[in-house]
Amino acid sequence: MTEDILKQIWKGGSEKENITIDYQKLHEEMKSKLDHMDQQIKARDNREIGASLVGMAAFAYIGYDIPFFWSKIACGLMIGWFLFVIFRLKYQRKNESPDPATSLNDQLDHRKDYLIGQTNMIKSVLWWYILPPVLINALLFFGAGDPDAWDSLFSGMIPDTIIGKIGVMTLVVALNGYIYYLNKKAVKNQLNPLISNIEKTQKDLNTL
Amino acid sequence: MKEKFEDVITKNKDSIYRICKIYASEPYEPMDLFQEVTFQAWKSYERFRGDSNVSTWIYRVALNVCMQVKNKYDKVNQLTSKLDAIQLVMHEEKDTLQAERFAMLKTCIDQLNESDQSIIVLYLEDLPYREIASITGLSENHVAVKMKRIKAKLTQCMTQKPANHD
């Protein structure tokens, strides 16, 4: 079979289909989709920042109001942690969309870097997303003394017995443990195979 | 002077669609990929300075977008929703033998690895090695050596296939 025949077969591959494009409508649609995507990103950012601000405000108030030293420290740490999480997520999302007009090799490099970044972020989730709030909560609960000494709307949040505190902490640990398990599973089942696939393509592409 | 985006798409729509046909796999149809390529090309066109051929540029976008969609880890909601302005009309009365031969070619291309697939589709689009090298980021010599091997594999597959059907 000659190369010309192969090319002829290839070119005939779109013979049965005729694509029609209404360009005026297309421009309107694409512009509206782009606006919609921008709005979605802004809404997501606003939601995350809003939720963090509410959390920070609540902990700032509790930290100011609570009479127990270690619980005050815990509230300060929690505010710092909220700020760190916002920064970390924003930084991670910076490189999501490269220009699709770069060469295939560059595109694969970029895609691999992005997926490795995602993997590292998820792998390290224990140290920056799960352990800090667990430890800070432990400091908050166990650092608190007699709740009767604190006259506030929030005082009901703090269990007054050791058993109660251990119970609440067990729930917090179980919940965070589950989040950790889901993240590990995503790395193993989704990200690692994609990275291997990209590495294989890069190797195939650059090997004669 | 930079061509109008509409002209670039009109001129290259069949080529883009053929590439999309090769990369389309569940849950996406070739038309979904075509729409995604058009949308991403439109977003990127502003940054295109004309320092390469416009065809090189559009092939890069098509190939990268198609491969990227294939390598997404969360396939749900990763594509922009349908663009109603782009419609596909099927001509059922057209040559069915040609369609069968294309299906056979697609099967043979599917058997190549991803890197070889990207190179062969550009070759079948009649692009010179220089342009293929620029799209893939390889040297011209590298492309030439690879092409020799890929063409041999493809030809062998294509000549074996009909025998298998007998």
Side-chain angles (χ1 to χ4, degrees):
Chain A
M1 185 167 288
T2 66
E3 290 172 21
D4 284 343
I5 294 177
L6 280 178
K7 285 182 182 176
Q8 201 185 323
I9 297 172
W10 171 257
K11 294 269 166 79
S14 52
E15 227 174 40
K16 279 181 92 172
E17 296 97 339
N18 184 28
I19 298 164
T20 60
I21 305 172
D22 176 344
Y23 282 107
Q24 194 185 339
K25 193 174 167 190
L26 181 66
H27 278 290
E28 285 163 14
E29 268 190 290
M30 291 195 296
K31 177 139 189 4
S32 124
K33 284 190 194 308
L34 199 59
D35 290 345
H36 180 65
M37 281 161 70
D38 285 344
Q39 276 168 11
Q40 277 185 319
I41 291 170
K42 268 187 203 148
R44 179 193 69 187
D45 287 353
N46 288 342
R47 267 198 310 274
E48 283 174 3
I49 292 170
S52 298
L53 285 177
V54 169
M56 284 193 280
F59 277 99
Y61 174 75
I62 296 170
Y64 164 77
D65 199 42
I66 202 164
F68 313 115
F69 175 76
W70 287 111
S71 299
K72 273 185 191 293
I73 297 287
C75 290
L77 290 172
M78 194 63 108
I79 292 170
W81 178 74
F82 272 119
L83 285 171
F84 177 73
V85 169
I86 294 174
F87 166 78
R88 183 83 203 246
L89 291 176
K90 285 238 171 263
Y91 174 78
Q92 198 62 39
R93 284 176 186 144
K94 260 185 186 171
N95 294 327
E96 270 179 46
S97 306
D99 184 358
T102 55
S103 76
L104 185 58
N105 243 339
D106 289 346
Q107 194 76 202
L108 288 169
D109 274 342
H110 192 286
R111 189 80 197 134
K112 192 172 101 177
D113 287 348
Y114 172 70
L115 289 173
I116 287 174
Q118 289 286 309
T119 306
N120 290 340
M121 185 181 83
I122 293 175
K123 273 184 182 165
S124 63
V125 99
L126 179 69
W127 307 109
W128 65 273
Y129 192 75
I130 291 178
L131 269 186
V134 168
L135 295 176
I136 293 169
N137 272 311
L139 187 62
L140 178 69
F141 293 144
F142 290 104
D146 180 7
D148 291 339
W150 181 31
D151 183 23
S152 165
L153 278 175
F154 291 100
S155 55
M157 265 175 44
I158 311 278
D160 48 3
T161 64
I162 286 288
I163 300 289
K165 289 176 184 183
I166 291 172
V168 170
M169 277 314 296
T170 307
L171 279 177
V172 171
V173 169
L175 180 69
N176 284 288
Y178 184 62
I179 294 172
Y180 183 62
Y181 163 76
L182 290 180
N183 279 291
K184 290 285 265 189
K185 203 172 144 192
V187 168
K188 190 179 165 214
N189 296 343
Q190 297 177 325
L191 290 165
N192 283 347
L194 283 178
I195 292 170
S196 303
N197 191 38
I198 291 176
E199 281 172 345
K200 184 183 176 306
T201 306
Q202 283 180 314
K203 194 174 165 231
D204 290 339
L205 192 64
N206 292 294
T207 310
L208 281 172
Chain B
M1 207 180 103
K2 205 165 131 175
E3 260 181 273
K4 272 173 77 179
F5 177 75
E6 289 89 325
D7 296 337
V8 178
I9 295 296
T10 303
K11 226 186 275 177
N12 295 284
K13 63 181 182 179
D14 290 337
S15 303
I16 300 171
Y17 189 71
R18 285 191 289 269
I19 293 175
C20 294
K21 268 181 136 177
I22 294 298
Y23 284 93
S25 62
E26 282 292 331
Y28 303 122
E29 296 289 329
M31 187 40 86
D32 300 324
L33 292 185
F34 182 88
Q35 292 180 352
E36 185 67 12
V37 170
T38 309
F39 182 64
Q40 296 299 336
W42 177 71
K43 283 205 299 181
S44 166
Y45 197 56
E46 218 174 90
R47 281 173 278 179
F48 174 58
R49 301 254 170 260
D51 36 14
S52 66
N53 272 346
V54 75
S55 62
T56 309
W57 172 81
I58 192 71
Y59 281 119
R60 270 183 181 173
V61 175
L63 212 54
N64 286 330
V65 171
C66 287
M67 285 183 83
Q68 201 174 323
V69 169
K70 208 173 169 182
N71 285 315
K72 291 249 184 207
Y73 69 95
D74 176 11
K75 297 216 176 209
V76 181
N77 294 326
Q78 288 286 349
L79 297 187
T80 48
S81 45
K82 296 265 181 206
L83 295 167
D84 294 331
I86 303 177
Q87 294 293 326
L88 183 70
V89 184
M90 298 292 280
H91 299 302
E92 288 303 333
E93 72 280 5
K94 291 273 180 174
D95 190 356
T96 50
L97 177 67
Q98 168 59 39
E100 276 173 29
R101 291 166 89 194
F102 181 80
M104 198 192 295
L105 177 61
K106 185 182 179 321
T107 309
C108 287
I109 294 176
D110 283 345
Q111 287 170 17
L112 300 171
N113 65 42
E114 262 186 62
S115 129
D116 289 353
Q117 283 177 1
S118 63
I119 293 173
I120 196 68
V121 296
L122 298 174
Y123 171 77
L124 292 170
E125 281 298 329
D126 249 345
L127 298 189
Y129 287 173
R130 185 177 39 78
E131 220 170 319
I132 298 177
S134 159
I135 292 167
T136 52
L138 300 173
S139 71
E140 249 183 277
N141 280 343
H142 196 125
V143 170
V145 175
K146 281 181 98 68
M147 268 316 305
K148 203 175 161 192
R149 192 177 40 78
I150 303 169
K151 272 191 281 188
K153 270 191 203 168
L154 195 62
T155 311
Q156 192 193 13
C157 174
M158 286 297 282
T159 45
Q160 275 174 357
K161 284 282 166 187
N164 294 340
H165 286 276
D166 287 342

